[in-house]
Amino acid sequence: MHEMSCTPCTNFACLRGTLFSLGWQICSTWRAVSRSDLLWHRLTRLVWGRTRLLQDTWRDEYIYWHRTARNFQTRRSVHTTLYFDPSDVEDSNGFTCRCLTLSDAHLACGFADGAVRVFDLHTRLHVNTFRPHLRDRLGPFSRAVTGIVITDCKLIFATLDGDIHVAIIGIPHITRRVHLGEVVNDGALVDFTGCERWWVGLYAGVPGRAFHIWDGVTEQLTFVGGALTDPEAVMGWHMLTEMTGFVGRVRVTSRGSAVACTSSSVMIFDLTNQGLVLGEEEYRNGREIIVTSVDVSSAAYVIAERRRGLARLARLARVRLVDTMEEGCRFNVRGAAEMGAMGCMNDGYALMCTDGVVSVWEVERGAYLYRFRERIGDVNAMVCDERHVAACSSDTTLHLWDFGAAD
């Protein structure tokens, strides 16, 4: 059985579907107001967090995301396997996917040989490949892609040696290096994330330099500091020469903050105030964070832990509010104690892949919903948004699930 507990809902998700369930059986004046595109624009932003119009009107946009969320709740999706031409793989590491990123139009996959392959979500076709500029290697995996950011037509990706490149998705193969990594001074860049406003790198190897923050508009480095990964310094260096596990993870929220973790600590810090720490929790007494389980939505984050020697508590996951670190709900994840867990989340649901099976929980109450029909084996990377879920298996297969409402 899947155990759960919860606290009352405090966000706009409870509004979802209310407008339609009421049937708008009210006065003619309000029915006239309800036709206002400005009103639907505001509702779409408040309820679904959408600010970009993809449908003909904002009313259509609201309906589309309402139906898509319903599909997510009821396991109605289309599964596709994505392919790319293996002839452009430069070495055997090129088949190992290390990270995934979604936008409304594209899926970007970062590989251990430095390649970033971009797929069109409408056609499901591989449309472009980008590679970092050549430089002296500090190890066989120094070019491994550790994170990707997509903003409109621009793609930003980072590699383990600390280099950051920018590309335009519609312009084949051309990349521009905007930051030259200094591994000796900074350590290895073990994770990279961001948004249009900020880019954030998580480093391991040199004390006191865990976080690097860039202004995404000017592409200038604005902050260096933090000791989160100091205990993992040796493991950070090993990542340059060995295909090791994940040292840490960092994710950016929509509230100008970031959530970062290692196996022993989780930290929330402010991006606008030079890395000001907003909250921190250490895991002790046998408790250990499953680093790959951690992800964020607009206002919450999910984190799973294992506890050595106590099987009953070894697979606990929590959803917490970013602003306060207050627990919203919790649930048990089968298999996470033995196999680990690869997690991701959107505003409504948390997903965990363990033992080749992707399971879904609703984040307002922690209720277990279902598991995907497809068994995909161990995964190296997984990502989701409000419409798509993507995962790359250790056998190099790229999976995509589309929950989008039918036209």
Side-chain angles (χ1 to χ4, degrees), residues 19 306 367:
L19 302 182
R306 59 168 67 93

Side-chain angles (χ1 to χ4, degrees), residues 63-81:
I63 294 172
Y64 175 84
W65 291 108
H66 169 73
R67 291 174 176 172
T68 298
R70 180 63 178 170
N71 288 346
F72 225 117
Q73 186 177 40
T74 56
R75 200 173 64 172
R76 299 173 65 179
S77 65
V78 176
H79 173 257
T80 307
T81 301

Side-chain angles (χ1 to χ4, degrees), residues 103 106 108 114-118 127-133 145 147-158 163-179 192 199 216 219:
S103 70
H106 297 96
V116 176
R117 294 184 174 86
V118 181
V127 296
N128 217 333
T129 299
F130 299 103
R131 299 183 186 277
H133 292 189
V145 180
I148 307 168
V149 178
I150 302 178
T151 61
D152 293 330
C153 63
K154 189 163 69 172
L155 182 145
I156 306 101
F157 67 98
D163 285 3
I164 299 176
H165 292 77
V166 174
I168 304 301
I169 292 177
I171 302 178
H173 312 304
I174 298 176
T175 59
R176 175 172 56 91
R177 184 162 55 196
V178 298
H179 181 77
F192 177 79
W199 308 339
E219 302 175 354

